[in-house]
Amino acid sequence: MTNTREIALDCVMEIMEKKQYSHYVLKQVLDKYGFLEKRDRSFIKCVTEGTIERAIELDYVLDQFSKVKVKKMKPLIRSLMRMSVYQLLYMDKTLDAAVCNEAVKLASKRGFQSLKGFVNGVLRTIARNKENIVYPDVVTNPILHLSVLYSMPEWIVFMWVERLGFKETERILQGLIEKRPLMIRMDEGMKDAEKTSLLEAFRKEDIDLEQLPTLPYAYLVKNPDRVDNLPGFAEGKIMIQDAGSMEIIEFADIQKDWYIVDVCGAPGGKALHAASKLQKSGYVSVRDLSERKMELILENIRRSGYQNIAAKVWDATVLDEGEIGKADLVIADLPCSGLGVAGRKADIKYRLTKSDITEIAALQRQILETVGQYVKKGGFLLFSTCTLTQEENEDNAHWFANQSAFQLIKEKTLYPAPNGLTDGFYMALFQKMD
């Protein structure tokens, strides 16, 4: 019999101890165990993602009740205790006794029989005292309060509070900690009859959709199972894409017959959205750095069936002389620290350092200087990120406008919504004047 808790434990170990990327680990594991019931795969996903997302809070709670502090625990025990405390605090349908018992069994099975008493004692104490946990005081230590309550490293909290204030920072943190819904973009080129048929297919599968009022082709999927089994996915009639990512393409106001270059395009969502806006006219050249990323783009292009888009491997820091002065629009969705999507990839916030932000901002400037040369006179450059730091966003946008032939037309920041409907994005649209 497959032990879902042990699978979740291995996932947490891979991500937190071996520093593997959470979305890759979960995809591989959920694909491997695709034969399991939906509820079992949902349990694995929920425990893994929840434990990673709430790790700072879980460690804070454990350190209150355990004589052995989290940093001193054996890696496997540390992961086991974290995921067990997450279940105790956040999974109401899971019995506390079952959490404790299963944790003891797993500790023994994985070679730590001598620590069964420790595991059992600490977890049962926490289970009895869930209502008595003491969190940092909001008045005397507001930064630590937000850091623990929303499991965000203190230096990031301080950075946002210093720039945006306490209330706005808490609103962002609330948005990032919310459960992230699955969002799909329906092919805008579908005829009414096709769309009606697709919506009916979702109903037959008992999958609830909610249309977004601001984006008529965007739908919230309320009770999804496997993404690749969703109606219309294999045929390219739907694409998995966050609402904020869709808004970036809307921001560019794409016109028919444009020639568009997407310089950092993996996995291809924005490029394909741009291609759909062209209404079978114009052309999109999408590229990215590696063969692995290119495979993701090519697979999405294949499913879409679009003929006005092509992809190739290309390093955005290297000038493609064949593209100079040709593009009506360059889409520069550039490498960034990713804090705006930490609600979907929670391990991002634990990997990031202050020096990383400085290095990434410098890389962005190098790319902007290079790819700006592809834009024809009067054409546009769309610069976007999925992060919320001033260095990577506003500072770089204003730097680019001040030292280039481009004029900043408009800019916009999307903050993570408390309802989880969008992640954090920044976008700036420039026009080439000379």
Side-chain angles (χ1 to χ4, degrees), residues 91 135 144 243 398 407 431:
M91 298 184 70
Y135 288 93
L144 185 62
H398 298 158
Q407 179 180 343
Q431 186 171 24

Side-chain angles (χ1 to χ4, degrees), residues 1 24 43-44 59 62 69 72 74 144 178 190 196 198 200-201 229 240 257 297 325 336 360 426-427:
M1 183 176 176
Y24 289 141
F43 178 85
I44 294 167
D59 289 358
L62 278 165
K69 301 307 178 187
K72 297 290 185 180
K74 301 288 185 182
L144 185 62
E178 287 282 344
M190 276 194 298
T196 300
L198 182 58
E200 180 61 28
N229 284 342
I240 310 303
D257 297 317
I297 297 173
C336 67
I360 294 168
Y426 172 79
M427 60 199 85

Side-chain angles (χ1 to χ4, degrees), residues 340-392:
V341 294
R344 296 186 186 275
K345 303 174 183 178
D347 50 312
I348 285 173
K349 58 189 178 184
Y350 308 126
R351 300 174 186 276
L352 192 64
T353 66
K354 293 180 182 179
S355 62
D356 289 336
I357 291 175
T358 302
E359 291 174 8
I360 294 168
L363 173 63
Q364 289 177 341
R365 292 189 178 193
Q366 182 184 358
I367 294 174
L368 286 171
E369 283 187 314
T370 301
V371 305
Q373 298 179 61
Y374 303 154
V375 182
K376 64 173 62 172
K377 183 178 179 180
F380 298 89
L381 184 145
L382 175 62
F383 165 48
S384 64
T385 74
C386 58
T387 196
L388 298 169
T389 74
Q390 184 170 321
E391 295 94 324
E392 297 169 273

Side-chain angles (χ1 to χ4, degrees), residues 211-219 242-244 246-247 250 273 277:
Q211 187 176 23
L212 267 64
T214 54
L215 299 166
Y217 49 78
Y219 289 82
D242 180 82
M246 299 180 214
E247 287 202 31
E250 291 288 348
H273 194 186
K277 291 291 185 185

Side-chain angles (χ1 to χ4, degrees), residues 239-265:
M239 292 288 171
I240 310 303
Q241 193 172 358
D242 180 82
S245 176
M246 299 180 214
E247 287 202 31
I248 289 173
I249 295 301
E250 291 288 348
F251 198 68
D253 192 23
I254 291 170
Q255 303 297 307
K256 289 184 71 174
D257 297 317
W258 272 10
Y259 176 59
I260 299 172
V261 180
D262 185 347
V263 297
C264 298

Side-chain angles (χ1 to χ4, degrees), residues 396-408:
N396 271 356
H398 298 158
W399 166 85
F400 184 60
N402 288 334
Q403 65 84 49
S404 70
F406 286 86
Q407 179 180 343
L408 178 59

